[in-house]
Amino acid sequence: MLIPEYQTHYDTVASLITAFCDQHLDADYKAICFHALDKLSRKRPFPFLTGRDQMWAAGIVYAIAQNCYLIGNQYDLLCGKPKYHFTSDEIAGAFGVSKGSASAKAKAIREQLGIRNDKNEWLPPDMREMNTMVKKLRKALGIRL
C-alpha cells in the first residue's frame, strides 16, 4: 500500500500506460509494462516524485517496446518481425513527451530494473518460448553472449 501522494502518481502513470496499451498493444505487453511499474514503485526513494508522470509512462512503454523489438528496424533474427511496430516518435508523441526524453527515461528504467531480452520476465509468452530455445541452443553450441 502506497502513501496517498505516491498512490496519486502511481495511478496516473498506470492510467497512461493502460490507455496506450488498450489502444495499441495486447494484454501480454500491458502486463509487462505493469510489472515494470510495480517494480519501480517499490524502489526507494520513490522514483515518480521526480519528473512528470507522462515521462515515466512513456519511459516504461518505450523500455518494454525496445526490449521486445517493437521500435524501429529492430527484429529478432530467429523470431522474425514483431507483432507490433512503432517509431520512437509515435510512442513519445502518444504521451506528449519528446523522443529524446522518452529514450533517456527508458534507458534509465532498463538499467534500474535490469530489463534485458534474455530475461523471460520482460518478454511476452510467445517470445519466452523462443528465448528458452535460443538459450538451450547457445548452451549446446557453447556460445556465450
Side-chain angles (χ1 to χ4, degrees), residues 25-72:
L25 294 169
D26 60 28
D28 292 331
Y29 287 100
K30 183 177 178 180
I32 298 168
C33 289
F34 271 87
H35 178 61
L37 174 63
D38 290 339
K39 285 188 97 161
L40 282 169
S41 71
R42 290 191 296 270
K43 297 282 186 186
R44 296 294 176 254
F46 189 71
F48 304 124
L49 297 178
T50 60
R52 298 181 340 182
D53 294 334
Q54 293 84 351
M55 187 70 67
W56 283 103
I60 290 169
V61 170
Y62 197 107
I64 300 307
Q66 280 182 316
N67 191 62
C68 297
Y69 307 108
L70 306 182
I71 294 179

